[in-house]
Amino acid sequence: MTTLSSGLPPVWENIGFVIGFLLSLAMFSYIVRDNWLVRLAQYLLIGVGLGYTAVITWQSVLLPRLVRPLLEPSNGFVQAMPGSTSTPLFLIWIPLFLGLLLWIAGIDYLRGGDSEKGRVRQWLHGLAVLPLAIIAGVGLGVGIAGTLQGTFVPQFLRAADFGLQLDAAPGVLMLGILTLLITSSTLLYIQVDASEIQDRSLPLYLRVLVRGWGWIGQRALWLTAGFLFAQIFSARMTLLIARLEYFLFDVRSSNVWHWLQAMLAGGGQ
Amino acid sequence: MTSSFGCPHCGKSNPIDARFCSYCGTHLGDVEGSQLAQQPDKEEPVDESPPEKPLPTKRRFGPPSYWSESESDPADENPAQPSTSKRSSDLRRPSLRPNLTHGRPSPPSGERPPDQPYLPRPTLPTPDLPDADDPTGWLDRFSLPIPVESSPFLDDDLQRQLREFFVAEVPLADIPPPAGQITDGEGLWRRLSSYLLLLVVLVVLLLFRENTPETLPHVWPGVGPAFATVEALPDGATVLIHWAYDPATAGEMDLVARPVIGHLLDQHANLIVVSQLSLGPPTARRLIAAAKTLTLGDAVARQTDLSLVDGGFLPGGAATLPLLGQDPALGLPLDLQGRPALTLPPLASYHQEHPALVLVLADRMEPVQRWLEQVQPLNQVAVVAVTSAATGPAVRPYLDSGQLAGLVSGYNGGIGYQELLLRPMGRAEQARLWRQIAGHNWAFVVFLIVVLAGNLPAALRRRSP
């Protein structure tokens, strides 16, 4: 079994393989030049992805969680959620109202509706701010709380715990010194402007010290950027090699290739 | 020589050889960027106005680099001179066409949209403006017919600066470089470098089918702890998998994730897959099916379908993730087949107690970060991250702080994990891994050669007077 196997009936697998092969070739034509085949493949990818998202959103989110409870309120869907103290009002009706409000306002806006014209439009556009505010507010609150509890505090505690242990082994001590030096120099390079370093009112030794310290931070940034770029290059090369393997080897293990071989062999007899 | 030019529709910069705009998709075939860069502007017939009418001077747009070398600075020009052909052609350069309508229909020629910013001007004879359908007519509408000698409001420089300010995007690399200096893309021969890289990788893939690389790639810290965490799982443990990559990056992520999934299947773990990407669940089904067959064989794989629960698509981003930490039934009331979650044994046990392990498969940093920020503080379940090579450095601080129990990153991480499994690989699987290693090694060799070849001449030129 190869990564091409999808559990679909063989005829759909073969059709999917042919379509995937042709679209891969279309995308690779970008190597020669930008052309309509590349655009076609890109638009197909985006369109199919959006269409699939719409279908899956309806099938697995809206239909079971919103539409069915509305149509059959006695199916115990809401009550079946253990530990839930929310009523259908908060789980169904308010989200439905806010969602429809946002949807209608969005369509009106896309059609070029001007809130200057008509009191109904003004009210609509004004009320549509409410679901947007809820989305933005919830997202912001969740994000800030999560950043504090999941990133800032644990990372700060880890850095504080690591510290500079003067009685540690030489390797650990050197690591601590380097960490302190590179971190401080990078912060200095980012914060202090070059013109400020050239300020003649500062003593010469201070200018030299700050300039040298910032020089280390600049090189540290270059090194970090280079390392990150190398990792990104590695990731993209893995993708390229996998795609080339698809053309060179996986194609030959497909049913379509076997059919072609059988046809050519049978035609030659 | 410019390496980019602006789209005539949206004004965004595009590479010189682009056939389609990268932002709006407009076909740029009629506007040959290479022609703009290489050929001088053609002479165009000038519509001479009658001598008794004062002929307005059309302003140039953009910095002086847009003008041909033979043209003089506008400040030195005699404003009483009629419009030259080169000036008209300058106005037709696509990079000089601002898109200030933003999708609204263009007003008829001669009229100025009421909300368009414009400079106050004295009453002057209206010039003959081109048709509104003419793509270059936009520019002429902004050619304020203000004679220089009678402009009481703004001088040339300030007018030019104001027009540049209102252009949608200032094109990059506009100023022609000094003679002898390497311009963007020329010295490195980007296209040749890409062809060379592709050719080398193709040759390596075709030649290294049977040969085995001498050394394995370097494995970064985190793979060993990840292996140990999975190895320590009890038989039949529930593992929640947050699937955060789709087929776009499956070429790399499958290599990294398959050994880990195979290890979980060896441990007879019950897998619950949930994804916040719409294409995540089908990607998960495909990979888990492939890993099952490789691990268990076809016959046994068909019998173990109940051990996999497809939790499906969970929309909402970071706002809905905490549901999985507080009460999973709230986040996964139904699986992808519409079956109530509590009727499925793996999810029923998940409701009573938290999973033994969480596996986050992500090609970006955000899904891992979100999980560690939103879910792990709630249920304190160990998390193992399987990520792309590009994501590894950004996620590593979480491994150092102890928030991640293990980290498998990049194709080398997948190979390192595979080595720890001590499971014999099939011939085809082994050949696939060796091709990846060989292709990577040679790709980096080419990359280093290109970097050196590009930087050495630049370093030598810098030293020369």
Coordinates of all heavy atoms in Angstrom, one line a residue, chain A residues 167-250:
Chain A
D167 N 29.2 28.4 39.8 CA 29.9 27.2 40.3 C 29.5 26.0 39.4 O 29.8 24.9 39.8 CB 29.5 27.0 41.8 CG 28.0 26.9 41.9 OD1 27.3 27.3 40.9 OD2 27.5 26.4 42.9
A168 N 29.0 26.3 38.3 CA 28.6 25.2 37.4 C 29.8 24.7 36.6 O 30.9 25.2 36.7 CB 27.5 25.6 36.5
A169 N 29.6 23.6 35.9 CA 30.7 23.1 35.1 C 31.0 24.1 34.0 O 30.3 25.0 33.6 CB 30.2 21.8 34.4
P170 N 32.3 24.0 33.5 CA 32.7 25.1 32.5 C 31.8 25.2 31.3 O 31.6 26.3 30.9 CB 34.1 24.6 32.1 CG 34.6 23.7 33.3 CD 33.4 23.1 33.8
G171 N 31.3 24.0 30.8 CA 30.5 24.1 29.7 C 29.2 24.9 30.0 O 28.7 25.7 29.2
V172 N 28.6 24.6 31.1 CA 27.3 25.2 31.5 C 27.6 26.7 31.7 O 26.8 27.6 31.4 CB 26.7 24.5 32.7 CG1 25.5 25.3 33.2 CG2 26.4 23.1 32.4
L173 N 28.7 27.0 32.4 CA 29.0 28.4 32.7 C 29.2 29.2 31.4 O 28.7 30.3 31.2 CB 30.3 28.5 33.5 CG 30.7 29.9 33.9 CD1 29.7 30.6 34.7 CD2 32.0 29.8 34.7
M174 N 30.0 28.6 30.4 CA 30.2 29.3 29.2 C 28.9 29.5 28.4 O 28.6 30.5 27.8 CB 31.1 28.4 28.3 CG 31.5 29.1 27.0 SD 32.3 30.7 27.2 CE 33.8 30.2 28.1
L175 N 28.0 28.5 28.5 CA 26.7 28.6 27.8 C 25.9 29.8 28.4 O 25.3 30.6 27.7 CB 25.9 27.3 28.0 CG 24.6 27.2 27.2 CD1 24.8 27.4 25.8 CD2 23.9 25.9 27.6
G176 N 25.9 29.9 29.8 CA 25.2 31.0 30.4 C 25.8 32.4 30.0 O 25.0 33.3 29.8
I177 N 27.1 32.4 30.0 CA 27.7 33.7 29.6 C 27.4 34.1 28.2 O 27.0 35.3 27.9 CB 29.3 33.6 29.8 CG1 29.6 33.5 31.3 CG2 29.9 34.9 29.2 CD1 31.1 33.3 31.6
L178 N 27.5 33.1 27.3 CA 27.1 33.4 25.9 C 25.7 33.8 25.7 O 25.4 34.7 25.0 CB 27.4 32.2 25.1 CG 28.9 32.0 24.6 CD1 29.0 30.7 23.8 CD2 29.3 33.1 23.7
T179 N 24.8 33.1 26.5 CA 23.4 33.5 26.4 C 23.2 34.9 26.8 O 22.4 35.7 26.2 CB 22.6 32.5 27.2 OG1 22.8 31.2 26.8 CG2 21.1 32.8 27.1
L180 N 23.8 35.3 27.9 CA 23.6 36.6 28.4 C 24.2 37.7 27.5 O 23.6 38.7 27.2 CB 24.4 36.7 29.8 CG 24.2 38.1 30.5 CD1 22.8 38.3 30.9 CD2 25.1 38.1 31.8
L181 N 25.4 37.4 26.9 CA 26.0 38.3 26.0 C 25.2 38.5 24.7 O 25.0 39.6 24.3 CB 27.5 37.8 25.7 CG 28.3 38.6 24.7 CD1 28.6 40.0 25.3 CD2 29.5 37.9 24.3
I182 N 24.8 37.4 24.1 CA 24.1 37.5 22.8 C 22.7 38.1 23.0 O 22.3 39.0 22.2 CB 24.0 36.1 22.2 CG1 25.4 35.6 21.8 CG2 23.1 36.1 21.0 CD1 25.4 34.2 21.3
T183 N 22.1 37.8 24.1 CA 20.7 38.3 24.3 C 20.8 39.8 24.5 O 20.1 40.6 23.9 CB 20.1 37.7 25.5 OG1 20.0 36.3 25.4 CG2 18.6 38.2 25.7
S184 N 21.7 40.3 25.4 CA 21.9 41.7 25.7 C 22.3 42.5 24.4 O 21.9 43.6 24.2 CB 22.8 41.9 26.8 OG 24.1 41.4 26.6
S185 N 23.3 41.9 23.7 CA 23.8 42.6 22.5 C 22.7 42.7 21.4 O 22.6 43.8 20.8 CB 25.0 41.9 22.0 OG 24.7 40.6 21.6
T186 N 21.9 41.7 21.3 CA 20.8 41.8 20.3 C 19.8 42.8 20.7 O 19.4 43.6 19.9 CB 20.1 40.4 20.2 OG1 21.1 39.4 19.9 CG2 19.1 40.4 19.1
L187 N 19.4 42.8 21.9 CA 18.5 43.9 22.4 C 19.1 45.3 22.2 O 18.4 46.2 21.8 CB 18.1 43.6 23.9 CG 17.2 42.4 24.1 CD1 17.1 42.2 25.6 CD2 15.9 42.6 23.5
L188 N 20.3 45.4 22.5 CA 21.0 46.7 22.4 C 21.0 47.1 20.9 O 20.7 48.3 20.6 CB 22.4 46.6 22.9 CG 23.2 47.9 22.9 CD1 22.6 48.8 24.0 CD2 24.7 47.7 23.2
Y189 N 21.3 46.2 20.0 CA 21.4 46.5 18.6 C 20.0 47.0 18.1 O 19.9 47.9 17.3 CB 21.9 45.4 17.8 CG 21.9 45.6 16.3 CD1 22.8 46.4 15.7 CD2 20.9 45.0 15.5 CE1 22.7 46.7 14.3 CE2 20.9 45.2 14.2 CZ 21.8 46.0 13.6 OH 21.7 46.2 12.2
I190 N 19.0 46.3 18.6 CA 17.6 46.6 18.1 C 17.2 47.9 18.6 O 16.5 48.7 18.0 CB 16.7 45.5 18.5 CG1 17.0 44.2 17.7 CG2 15.2 45.9 18.2 CD1 16.2 43.0 18.2
Q191 N 17.5 48.2 19.9 CA 17.0 49.4 20.6 C 17.7 50.7 20.2 O 17.1 51.8 20.1 CB 17.0 49.2 22.1 CG 16.0 48.1 22.6 CD 14.6 48.5 22.3 OE1 14.2 49.7 22.4 NE2 13.8 47.6 22.0
V192 N 19.1 50.6 20.1 CA 19.9 51.8 20.0 C 20.1 52.1 18.6 O 20.6 51.3 17.8 CB 21.2 51.6 20.8 CG1 22.1 52.9 20.6 CG2 21.0 51.3 22.2
D193 N 19.8 53.3 18.2 CA 20.0 53.7 16.8 C 21.4 54.1 16.6 O 22.2 54.4 17.5 CB 19.1 55.0 16.6 CG 19.0 55.4 15.1 OD1 19.4 54.5 14.3 OD2 18.6 56.5 14.8
A194 N 21.9 53.9 15.3 CA 23.3 54.1 15.0 C 23.6 55.6 15.2 O 24.8 55.9 15.7 CB 23.5 53.7 13.6
S195 N 22.7 56.5 15.0 CA 23.0 57.9 15.2 C 23.2 58.2 16.7 O 24.0 59.1 17.0 CB 21.9 58.8 14.6 OG 20.7 58.5 15.3
E196 N 22.5 57.5 17.5 CA 22.7 57.7 18.9 C 24.1 57.3 19.4 O 24.7 57.9 20.3 CB 21.6 57.0 19.7 CG 20.2 57.5 19.5 CD 19.2 56.6 20.1 OE1 19.5 55.7 20.9 OE2 18.0 56.9 19.9
I197 N 24.6 56.2 18.8 CA 26.0 55.8 19.1 C 27.0 56.8 18.7 O 28.0 56.9 19.4 CB 26.2 54.4 18.5 CG1 25.2 53.4 18.9 CG2 27.6 53.9 18.8 CD1 25.3 52.1 18.2
Q198 N 26.8 57.5 17.7 CA 27.7 58.5 17.2 C 27.6 59.8 17.9 O 28.4 60.8 17.6 CB 27.5 58.8 15.7 CG 27.6 57.5 14.8 CD 29.0 56.9 14.8 OE1 29.9 57.7 15.0 NE2 29.0 55.6 14.7
D199 N 26.8 59.9 18.9 CA 26.6 61.2 19.6 C 27.9 61.5 20.3 O 28.4 60.8 21.2 CB 25.4 61.0 20.6 CG 25.1 62.3 21.3 OD1 25.6 63.3 20.9 OD2 24.2 62.3 22.1
R200 N 28.4 62.7 20.0 CA 29.7 63.1 20.5 C 29.6 63.5 22.0 O 30.7 63.7 22.6 CB 30.2 64.3 19.7 CG 30.5 64.0 18.2 CD 31.8 63.5 18.0 NE 32.1 63.2 16.6 CZ 33.1 62.5 16.2 NH1 34.1 62.1 17.1 NH2 33.3 62.2 15.0
S201 N 28.4 63.7 22.5 CA 28.4 64.1 23.9 C 28.7 62.9 24.8 O 29.0 63.1 26.0 CB 27.0 64.6 24.2 OG 26.0 63.6 24.0
L202 N 28.6 61.7 24.2 CA 29.0 60.5 25.1 C 30.5 60.4 25.1 O 31.2 60.7 24.1 CB 28.3 59.3 24.5 CG 26.8 59.2 24.5 CD1 26.3 58.0 23.7 CD2 26.2 59.2 25.9
P203 N 31.0 59.8 26.2 CA 32.4 59.6 26.2 C 32.8 58.6 25.2 O 32.1 57.7 24.7 CB 32.6 59.0 27.6 CG 31.4 59.4 28.4 CD 30.3 59.5 27.4
L204 N 34.1 58.7 24.7 CA 34.6 57.8 23.7 C 34.5 56.4 24.0 O 34.1 55.5 23.2 CB 36.0 58.2 23.3 CG 36.7 57.4 22.2 CD1 35.9 57.6 20.9 CD2 38.1 57.8 22.1
Y205 N 34.9 56.1 25.3 CA 35.0 54.7 25.6 C 33.5 54.1 25.6 O 33.3 52.9 25.3 CB 35.6 54.5 27.0 CG 34.7 54.9 28.2 CD1 33.9 54.0 28.9 CD2 34.7 56.3 28.6 CE1 33.1 54.5 29.9 CE2 34.0 56.7 29.7 CZ 33.1 55.8 30.3 OH 32.4 56.2 31.4
L206 N 32.6 54.9 26.0 CA 31.2 54.4 26.0 C 30.7 54.1 24.6 O 30.0 53.1 24.3 CB 30.3 55.4 26.7 CG 28.9 54.9 27.1 CD1 29.0 53.7 28.1 CD2 28.1 56.0 27.8
R207 N 31.1 55.0 23.7 CA 30.7 54.9 22.3 C 31.3 53.6 21.7 O 30.6 52.8 21.0 CB 31.1 56.1 21.5 CG 30.1 57.2 21.5 CD 30.5 58.3 20.6 NE 31.4 59.2 21.2 CZ 32.4 59.8 20.6 NH1 32.7 59.6 19.3 NH2 33.2 60.7 21.2
V208 N 32.5 53.4 22.0 CA 33.2 52.2 21.5 C 32.6 51.0 22.1 O 32.3 50.0 21.4 CB 34.7 52.3 21.8 CG1 35.4 50.9 21.5 CG2 35.4 53.4 21.0
L209 N 32.3 51.0 23.4 CA 31.7 49.8 24.0 C 30.3 49.5 23.4 O 30.0 48.3 23.1 CB 31.6 50.1 25.5 CG 30.9 49.0 26.3 CD1 31.8 47.8 26.4 CD2 30.7 49.5 27.8
V210 N 29.5 50.5 23.3 CA 28.1 50.3 22.7 C 28.2 49.8 21.3 O 27.5 48.9 20.9 CB 27.3 51.6 22.9 CG1 26.0 51.4 22.2 CG2 27.0 51.9 24.4
R211 N 29.1 50.4 20.5 CA 29.2 50.0 19.1 C 29.7 48.6 19.0 O 29.1 47.8 18.2 CB 30.2 51.0 18.4 CG 30.0 50.9 16.9 CD 31.0 51.8 16.2 NE 31.0 53.2 16.7 CZ 32.1 53.9 17.0 NH1 33.3 53.4 16.7 NH2 32.0 55.1 17.5
G212 N 30.7 48.2 19.8 CA 31.2 46.8 19.8 C 30.1 45.8 20.3 O 29.9 44.8 19.7
W213 N 29.4 46.3 21.3 CA 28.4 45.4 21.8 C 27.3 45.2 20.8 O 26.8 44.1 20.6 CB 27.8 46.0 23.1 CG 27.3 45.0 24.1 CD1 27.0 43.7 23.9 CD2 27.0 45.3 25.5 NE1 26.5 43.2 25.1 CE2 26.5 44.1 26.1 CE3 27.1 46.4 26.3 CZ2 26.2 44.0 27.4 CZ3 26.7 46.3 27.6 CH2 26.3 45.1 28.2
G214 N 26.9 46.3 20.2 CA 25.9 46.2 19.1 C 26.3 45.4 17.9 O 25.5 44.7 17.3
W215 N 27.6 45.4 17.7 CA 28.2 44.7 16.6 C 28.0 43.2 16.8 O 27.6 42.4 15.9 CB 29.7 45.0 16.4 CG 30.4 44.4 15.3 CD1 30.5 44.9 14.0 CD2 31.0 43.1 15.3 NE1 31.2 44.0 13.2 CE2 31.6 42.9 14.0 CE3 31.3 42.1 16.2 CZ2 32.3 41.8 13.6 CZ3 32.0 41.0 15.9 CH2 32.5 40.8 14.6
I216 N 28.1 42.7 18.0 CA 27.9 41.3 18.3 C 26.4 41.0 18.1 O 26.1 39.9 17.6 CB 28.3 41.0 19.8 CG1 29.8 41.2 20.0 CG2 27.9 39.6 20.2 CD1 30.3 41.1 21.4
G217 N 25.6 41.9 18.6 CA 24.1 41.6 18.4 C 23.7 41.6 16.9 O 22.9 40.7 16.5
Q218 N 24.3 42.4 16.1 CA 24.0 42.4 14.7 C 24.4 41.1 14.1 O 23.7 40.4 13.3 CB 24.7 43.5 14.0 CG 24.4 43.7 12.5 CD 25.1 44.8 11.9 OE1 26.3 45.0 12.2 NE2 24.5 45.5 11.0
R219 N 25.6 40.6 14.4 CA 26.1 39.3 13.9 C 25.2 38.1 14.4 O 25.0 37.2 13.7 CB 27.5 39.1 14.3 CG 28.5 39.6 13.3 CD 28.4 41.0 13.1 NE 29.2 41.5 12.0 CZ 29.2 42.8 11.6 NH1 28.4 43.6 12.2 NH2 30.0 43.2 10.6
A220 N 24.8 38.3 15.6 CA 23.9 37.2 16.2 C 22.6 37.2 15.4 O 22.1 36.1 15.1 CB 23.6 37.5 17.7
L221 N 22.1 38.3 15.0 CA 20.8 38.4 14.2 C 21.1 37.8 12.9 O 20.2 37.0 12.3 CB 20.3 39.8 14.1 CG 19.6 40.4 15.3 CD1 19.3 41.8 15.0 CD2 18.3 39.6 15.5
W222 N 22.2 38.1 12.3 CA 22.5 37.5 11.0 C 22.6 36.0 11.1 O 22.1 35.2 10.2 CB 23.9 38.0 10.4 CG 23.9 39.4 10.1 CD1 22.8 40.3 10.0 CD2 25.0 40.2 9.7 NE1 23.2 41.5 9.6 CE2 24.5 41.5 9.4 CE3 26.4 39.9 9.5 CZ2 25.4 42.5 9.0 CZ3 27.2 40.9 9.1 CH2 26.7 42.2 8.8
L223 N 23.3 35.5 12.1 CA 23.4 34.0 12.3 C 22.1 33.4 12.5 O 21.8 32.3 11.9 CB 24.3 33.8 13.5 CG 25.0 32.4 13.6 CD1 25.9 32.2 12.4 CD2 25.8 32.3 14.9
T224 N 21.2 34.0 13.3 CA 19.9 33.4 13.5 C 19.1 33.4 12.2 O 18.4 32.4 11.9 CB 19.2 34.3 14.6 OG1 20.0 34.3 15.8 CG2 17.8 33.6 14.9
A225 N 19.1 34.5 11.5 CA 18.4 34.6 10.2 C 18.9 33.5 9.3 O 18.1 32.8 8.6 CB 18.5 36.0 9.6
G226 N 20.2 33.3 9.2 CA 20.8 32.3 8.3 C 20.3 30.9 8.8 O 20.0 30.1 7.9
F227 N 20.3 30.6 10.1 CA 19.9 29.3 10.5 C 18.4 29.1 10.2 O 18.1 28.0 9.8 CB 20.1 29.3 12.1 CG 19.7 28.0 12.7 CD1 20.4 26.8 12.4 CD2 18.6 28.0 13.5 CE1 20.0 25.6 13.0 CE2 18.2 26.8 14.1 CZ 18.8 25.6 13.8
L228 N 17.6 30.1 10.5 CA 16.2 29.9 10.1 C 16.0 29.7 8.7 O 15.1 28.9 8.2 CB 15.4 31.2 10.6 CG 15.3 31.4 12.1 CD1 14.6 32.7 12.4 CD2 14.5 30.2 12.8
F229 N 16.7 30.4 7.8 CA 16.6 30.3 6.4 C 17.0 28.9 6.0 O 16.4 28.3 5.1 CB 17.4 31.3 5.7 CG 17.4 31.2 4.2 CD1 16.2 31.6 3.5 CD2 18.4 30.7 3.4 CE1 16.1 31.5 2.1 CE2 18.3 30.6 2.1 CZ 17.2 31.0 1.4
A230 N 18.1 28.3 6.6 CA 18.5 27.0 6.3 C 17.4 26.0 6.6 O 17.2 25.0 5.9 CB 19.8 26.7 7.0
Q231 N 16.8 26.2 7.7 CA 15.7 25.2 8.1 C 14.5 25.3 7.1 O 13.9 24.3 6.7 CB 15.2 25.6 9.5 CG 16.2 25.3 10.6 CD 16.4 23.8 10.8 OE1 17.3 23.2 10.2 NE2 15.6 23.2 11.7
I232 N 14.2 26.5 6.7 CA 13.1 26.7 5.8 C 13.5 26.1 4.4 O 12.7 25.4 3.8 CB 12.8 28.2 5.6 CG1 12.2 28.8 6.8 CG2 11.8 28.4 4.4 CD1 12.0 30.3 6.8
F233 N 14.8 26.2 4.0 CA 15.3 25.6 2.8 C 15.2 24.1 2.9 O 14.8 23.4 2.0 CB 16.7 26.1 2.6 CG 17.3 25.5 1.3 CD1 17.1 26.0 0.1 CD2 18.2 24.4 1.4 CE1 17.6 25.5 -1.0 CE2 18.8 23.9 0.3 CZ 18.5 24.4 -0.9
S234 N 15.5 23.6 4.1 CA 15.4 22.1 4.2 C 14.0 21.6 4.1 O 13.7 20.6 3.5 CB 16.0 21.7 5.6 OG 15.8 20.4 5.9
A235 N 13.1 22.4 4.7 CA 11.7 22.0 4.6 C 11.2 22.0 3.2 O 10.5 21.1 2.7 CB 10.8 22.9 5.5
R236 N 11.5 23.1 2.5 CA 11.1 23.2 1.1 C 11.8 22.1 0.2 O 11.1 21.6 -0.7 CB 11.4 24.6 0.5 CG 10.6 25.7 1.3 CD 9.1 25.5 1.2 NE 8.5 26.5 2.0 CZ 8.0 26.2 3.2 NH1 8.0 25.0 3.7 NH2 7.4 27.2 3.9
M237 N 13.0 21.8 0.5 CA 13.7 20.7 -0.3 C 13.0 19.4 -0.1 O 12.9 18.6 -1.0 CB 15.2 20.7 0.1 CG 16.0 21.8 -0.5 SD 15.7 22.1 -2.2 CE 16.1 20.5 -2.9
T238 N 12.6 19.2 1.2 CA 11.9 17.9 1.4 C 10.6 17.8 0.6 O 10.3 16.8 0.0 CB 11.5 17.8 2.9 OG1 12.7 18.0 3.7 CG2 10.9 16.4 3.2
L239 N 9.9 18.9 0.5 CA 8.7 19.0 -0.3 C 9.0 18.7 -1.8 O 8.3 18.0 -2.5 CB 8.0 20.3 -0.2 CG 7.2 20.5 1.1 CD1 6.7 21.9 1.2 CD2 6.0 19.5 1.2
L240 N 10.1 19.4 -2.3 CA 10.5 19.2 -3.7 C 10.9 17.8 -4.0 O 10.4 17.2 -5.0 CB 11.6 20.2 -4.0 CG 12.2 20.0 -5.4 CD1 11.2 20.4 -6.4 CD2 13.5 20.9 -5.5
I241 N 11.7 17.2 -3.1 CA 12.1 15.8 -3.3 C 10.9 14.9 -3.3 O 10.8 13.9 -4.1 CB 13.2 15.4 -2.3 CG1 14.4 16.2 -2.5 CG2 13.5 13.9 -2.3 CD1 15.5 16.1 -1.4
A242 N 10.0 15.1 -2.4 CA 8.8 14.2 -2.3 C 8.0 14.4 -3.6 O 7.5 13.4 -4.1 CB 8.0 14.6 -1.1
R243 N 7.9 15.6 -4.1 CA 7.1 15.7 -5.4 C 7.8 15.1 -6.6 O 7.2 14.5 -7.5 CB 6.9 17.2 -5.6 CG 5.9 17.6 -6.6 CD 4.5 17.0 -6.6 NE 4.0 16.5 -5.4 CZ 2.8 15.9 -5.3 NH1 2.1 15.8 -6.4 NH2 2.4 15.4 -4.2
L244 N 9.1 15.3 -6.6 CA 9.9 14.6 -7.7 C 9.8 13.1 -7.6 O 9.7 12.4 -8.6 CB 11.3 15.1 -7.7 CG 11.5 16.6 -8.1 CD1 13.0 17.0 -7.9 CD2 11.1 16.8 -9.5
E245 N 9.8 12.6 -6.4 CA 9.7 11.1 -6.2 C 8.3 10.7 -6.7 O 8.2 9.6 -7.3 CB 9.8 10.8 -4.8 CG 11.2 10.7 -4.3 CD 11.3 10.1 -2.9 OE1 10.3 10.2 -2.1 OE2 12.4 9.7 -2.5
Y246 N 7.3 11.5 -6.5 CA 6.0 11.2 -7.0 C 6.0 11.0 -8.6 O 5.5 10.1 -9.1 CB 5.0 12.3 -6.6 CG 3.7 12.3 -7.3 CD1 2.7 11.4 -6.8 CD2 3.4 13.2 -8.3 CE1 1.4 11.4 -7.4 CE2 2.2 13.2 -8.9 CZ 1.2 12.3 -8.5 OH 0.0 12.3 -9.1
F247 N 6.7 11.9 -9.2 CA 6.8 11.9 -10.7 C 7.6 10.7 -11.2 O 7.3 10.0 -12.1 CB 7.4 13.1 -11.3 CG 6.4 14.3 -11.3 CD1 6.6 15.4 -10.6 CD2 5.2 14.2 -12.1 CE1 5.7 16.5 -10.7 CE2 4.3 15.2 -12.2 CZ 4.6 16.4 -11.4
L248 N 8.7 10.5 -10.5 CA 9.7 9.5 -11.0 C 9.4 8.0 -10.5 O 9.7 7.1 -11.3 CB 11.1 9.8 -10.5 CG 11.7 11.2 -10.9 CD1 13.0 11.4 -10.3 CD2 11.8 11.1 -12.5
F249 N 8.8 7.9 -9.4 CA 8.6 6.5 -8.8 C 7.2 6.2 -8.5 O 6.7 5.1 -8.9 CB 9.5 6.4 -7.6 CG 10.9 6.7 -7.8 CD1 11.5 7.8 -7.3 CD2 11.7 5.8 -8.5 CE1 12.8 8.1 -7.6 CE2 13.0 6.1 -8.8 CZ 13.6 7.2 -8.3
D250 N 6.5 7.0 -7.8 CA 5.1 6.7 -7.4 C 4.2 6.5 -8.6 O 3.2 5.7 -8.6 CB 4.5 7.8 -6.5 CG 5.2 7.8 -5.1 OD1 5.9 6.8 -4.9 OD2 5.1 8.7 -4.4

